[in-house]
Amino acid sequence: MGNVQILLRQHVGAPCAPCVEVGADVKKGTLIATPTGLGANIFSSVYGKVAEITDDRIIIEPAAEQPDEFVPIDESVGLPENATKLDMVKAAGVVGLGGAGFPTGVKLNINLAETPLGEMNPEINPEIDDVEEPGKYSYILVNAAECEPGLEHNIRQLEEQCDKCLRGVKYSMEITQADKAIFAIKKKNKKAVKTLMAAIENEENISLHLLPDIYPMGEERAVVRECLGLNLDTTQLPSAARAVVVNLETAARIAEAIDEKRPCISKNMTVRGNIKGGNAAHVFMDVPIGVSVGEMIEKAGGLDKPDEVGEIIMGGAFTGHAVELDEPTTKTTGGILTTYKMPDLTGKKVGLLVCACGGNEARMRVIAEKMHGEVVSVCRCKQAIENKPGAPLKCLRPGNCPGQVKNNMQFKKDGCEYIIIGNCSDCTNTVMASAPQMGLKVFHQTDHVMRAVGHAQYRQLTVSKWVDQDIDVED
């Protein structure tokens, strides 16, 4: 194992402040950085010695021996004997492990029993009259969608550690005083669905909701819509629907913090793509936070064709970003995807269609630059809302998208030959309805990733946006 680099900012909020010094001996679970505002405690993920502290990270030289034992949070953080379950989650440094990294102790610090239903925008809730008693119950919604294509670690955990995930969900219900819980999971994951069904068979207040296999079914407001039938606007949190959305792995880490007093020191992840032996998913559980991307690729077998690598992406194909091999993993690292080279668009005029569900404009410009295309036009999906100047775009109705004829016409007017898009499944479908007819050639920002992981490229939508909730347990 090479040096472990633990970033001081791997959550929503301000960077943490180091509370150790260079030369200090550390163990798994030693507290090494604490929040300076909104944030979460950071712990050493290995046994070793602090080699260096910089403005943005703590670098640890791992010891040769790495015992399984860890320093429990009641020792490292100094929890009182009467600490609540919420106190334990906060102390353990648990954050949203699905990508956003919002501190879980802050998210769960809500009394849903006393939280009223927010005002629902009638323009995006035309079917609200069909919802049975909106707001009657409060919910923990478990995001088990594994939204990004090619990733499999969430589903693997549900198959292998369902009891732990379920305990975390029950704790979340207790902490927030939620009436019910719903697991949101894609119907295609039959083994995981069956495992979950067996686990909740006698749970009166816990159920599951089956999702279609389209992107972005794991987006927070999409989970609320699919499970509860309520469309939140781009400024509303799930609490407006009397709900809290918790990622599946986060639920498991909640259980660990409470049952084992275990700090958040490891991450489950999928490594996939241009890897020796084929493009099947390599799932790694409990990877020490801070190991390098390159080390994880080597654990998966190493690059198959190093000379043909296009990008190495940390995160998912839609929302991840390109990194170098020495980039450290964090609490929010879910995927490491190695791709092949992208097409060469030297001398070609390119348009960028920016969507809230995929890469932002900066990410798409990086892709265009790597393809040597000349960006001459930028359009935005009309459902991509910028709530504040410079804030990340939010989709008005994630997964249910409008036509793109107007944007395609603008690209044609601006002299584009190619367009690069990052849209969701449905929005991409609408692009493809008119772009080819106008002579526009389409490159989806995930194309080079999908080719590397063996997934169909995003073009026409070939599956339904809705699935029935019938489950054949014998299937």
Side-chain angles (χ1 to χ4, degrees), residues 264-321:
C264 187
I265 55 176
S266 60
K267 182 71 180 73
N268 303 336
M269 60 186 71
T270 304
V271 182
R272 192 168 190 175
N274 176 8
I275 301 290
K276 291 178 182 177
N279 58 19
H282 299 263
V283 173
F284 298 97
M285 309 296 280
D286 288 320
V287 176
I289 291 166
V291 302
S292 72
V293 167
E295 188 167 333
M296 293 309 302
I297 291 173
E298 289 304 312
K299 284 174 66 72
L303 293 171
D304 181 32
K305 299 175 181 178
D307 294 339
E308 297 183 19
V309 173
E311 289 187 311
I312 297 171
I313 295 173
M314 178 184 284
F318 279 86
T319 58
H321 60 282

Side-chain angles (χ1 to χ4, degrees), residues 44-107:
S44 173
S45 61
V46 294
Y47 284 79
K49 185 183 293 290
V50 177
E52 185 180 356
I53 299 176
T54 70
D55 290 341
D56 69 342
R57 68 194 64 195
I58 297 173
I59 302 172
I60 300 173
E61 182 180 346
E65 298 294 326
Q66 293 291 326
D68 291 334
E69 292 77 19
F70 58 85
V71 180
I73 54 176
D74 56 350
E75 294 181 17
S76 62
V77 181
L79 280 174
E81 291 185 4
N82 62 347
T84 65
K85 292 181 174 65
L86 180 61
D87 291 334
M88 295 179 189
V89 174
K90 289 180 178 178
V94 181
V95 301
L97 300 171
F102 193 85
T104 304
V106 177
K107 178 178 281 193

Side-chain angles (χ1 to χ4, degrees), residues 269-381:
M269 60 186 71
T270 304
V271 182
R272 192 168 190 175
N274 176 8
I275 301 290
K276 291 178 182 177
N279 58 19
H282 299 263
V283 173
F284 298 97
M285 309 296 280
D286 288 320
V287 176
I289 291 166
V291 302
S292 72
V293 167
E295 188 167 333
M296 293 309 302
I297 291 173
E298 289 304 312
K299 284 174 66 72
L303 293 171
D304 181 32
K305 299 175 181 178
D307 294 339
E308 297 183 19
V309 173
E311 289 187 311
I312 297 171
I313 295 173
M314 178 184 284
F318 279 86
T319 58
H321 60 282
V323 297
E324 301 297 330
L325 291 172
D326 60 355
E327 183 80 10
T329 56
T330 73
K331 293 179 183 181
T332 61
T333 301
I336 297 172
L337 305 174
T338 64
T339 79
Y340 297 104
K341 290 182 178 179
M342 292 174 275
D344 186 355
L345 301 184
T346 299
K348 305 296 184 182
K349 296 186 185 305
V350 176
L352 306 180
L353 179 51
V354 181
C355 174
C357 299
N360 58 24
E361 183 177 338
R363 167 67 177 145
M364 299 186 77
R365 285 187 177 276
V366 167
I367 293 174
E369 182 179 353
K370 290 179 178 180
M371 296 170 70
H372 310 294
E374 179 189 356
V375 176
V376 298
S377 183
V378 178
C379 293
R380 180 184 294 176
C381 175

Side-chain angles (χ1 to χ4, degrees), residues 348-472:
K348 305 296 184 182
K349 296 186 185 305
V350 176
L352 306 180
L353 179 51
V354 181
C355 174
C357 299
N360 58 24
E361 183 177 338
R363 167 67 177 145
M364 299 186 77
R365 285 187 177 276
V366 167
I367 293 174
E369 182 179 353
K370 290 179 178 180
M371 296 170 70
H372 310 294
E374 179 189 356
V375 176
V376 298
S377 183
V378 178
C379 293
R380 180 184 294 176
C381 175
K382 63 184 178 183
Q383 287 199 156
I385 307 300
E386 186 179 41
N387 290 320
K388 295 180 181 178
L393 299 176
K394 295 286 187 179
C395 182
L396 188 62
R397 300 188 68 183
N400 290 330
C401 298
Q404 298 292 340
V405 173
K406 183 177 179 180
N407 285 332
N408 286 336
M409 290 176 65
Q410 186 64 51
F411 290 135
K412 191 66 177 178
K413 179 181 178 181
D414 292 339
C416 299
E417 183 177 349
Y418 286 83
I419 57 174
I420 301 175
I421 67 174
N423 306 67
C424 70
S425 300
D426 192 31
C427 210
T428 299
N429 186 63
T430 64
V431 171
M432 298 307 298
S434 59
Q437 297 180 31
M438 298 180 189
L440 294 169
K441 300 172 184 177
V442 180
F443 180 89
H444 198 286
Q445 72 163 75
T446 66
D447 280 355
H448 60 309
V449 189
M450 298 300 96
R451 186 163 64 91
V453 303
H455 189 286
Q457 293 182 337
Y458 283 81
R459 292 296 187 273
Q460 283 84 7
L461 187 59
T462 58
V463 299
S464 174
K465 292 191 291 181
W466 295 274
V467 295
D468 63 56
Q469 299 298 304
D470 296 332
I471 305 169
D472 184 355

